[in-house]
Amino acid sequence: MDRRKELAQQYKETEIEAGIFQIRNSVNGKIYVSSSRNLKNLNGKRFELNAGSSMQRLLQAEWNEYGEEAFVFEILELLEKEKSEFFDEKDALKKLEESWLEKLKPYGDRGYNKENPDASRK
C-alpha cells in the first residue's frame, strides 16, 4: 500500500506538460494532429476511441475498422512555457498547433483533421 501511495504522489508531482500530439494510423499513414494542455491525458483520447465516442468521425471509423493496435500516439512537440505573467499558454498552444497543421497538412487522404477555411486566408 505504501508503494501505491508513493506512485500516486509521484504522479501528482509530475509537471503538467502542454504540447502537440498526433495519432498515426500505421496501416495507411493517416494522422490526426491536435494539442493538449495536459499530455498526461492522452489515455483519455484512447479511451474515447475505444468507447466509440470520438468526435473525429473518420478517425473513429478507421479505429473501429483497423483496431487499436493499428494506431500510434506520438508527442510532436512540448510547449515551452515562458516565465512571464503575460504568457498566454492557451494562445501559444493554439499557434503551435497551427504551425504543425501547416507543416503536416493532415487533411483529406493524408489525415483526419478538417481543414479550416479561414486558415488559407492568412
Side-chain angles (χ1 to χ4, degrees):
M1 191 63 166
D2 287 334
R3 178 73 176 140
R4 189 173 183 186
K5 285 182 181 179
E6 182 182 320
L7 290 172
Q9 187 62 34
Q10 279 180 332
Y11 180 81
K12 288 177 186 175
E13 291 174 0
T14 303
E15 186 178 338
I16 294 173
E17 294 182 301
I20 308 303
F21 69 92
Q22 75 177 4
I23 302 172
R24 182 173 44 85
N25 182 328
S26 61
V27 175
N28 61 22
K30 287 184 179 181
I31 58 174
Y32 172 69
V33 176
S34 190
S35 61
S36 175
R37 293 183 79 183
N38 185 354
L39 291 169
K40 289 196 299 186
N41 290 338
L42 284 185
N43 282 335
K45 286 282 184 202
R46 185 182 309 274
F47 178 82
E48 196 177 87
L49 287 159
N50 280 326
S53 62
S54 175
M55 298 301 287
Q56 303 300 322
R57 289 189 181 136
L58 182 55
L59 174 59
Q60 182 68 65
E62 291 196 357
W63 181 279
N64 295 344
E65 179 181 348
Y66 297 114
E68 178 178 358
E69 57 281 344
F71 291 84
V72 179
F73 286 68
E74 301 166 313
I75 295 174
L76 298 175
E77 186 173 353
L78 296 176
L79 177 67
E80 288 191 34
K81 298 178 184 178
E82 296 175 16
K83 296 185 188 309
S84 162
E85 61 185 84
F86 303 109
F87 180 67
D88 182 346
E89 180 182 75
K90 190 174 178 181
D91 185 57
L93 193 57
K94 181 181 177 195
K95 288 176 182 172
L96 190 59
E97 181 178 350
E98 288 170 357
S99 170
W100 276 99
L101 289 170
E102 179 63 31
K103 186 186 305 185
L104 298 176
K105 300 188 184 329
Y107 312 111
D109 293 341
R110 296 176 58 127
Y112 304 106
N113 291 77
K114 291 184 181 174
E115 196 161 10
N116 181 352
D118 296 333
S120 60
R121 294 186 208 148
K122 289 182 181 177

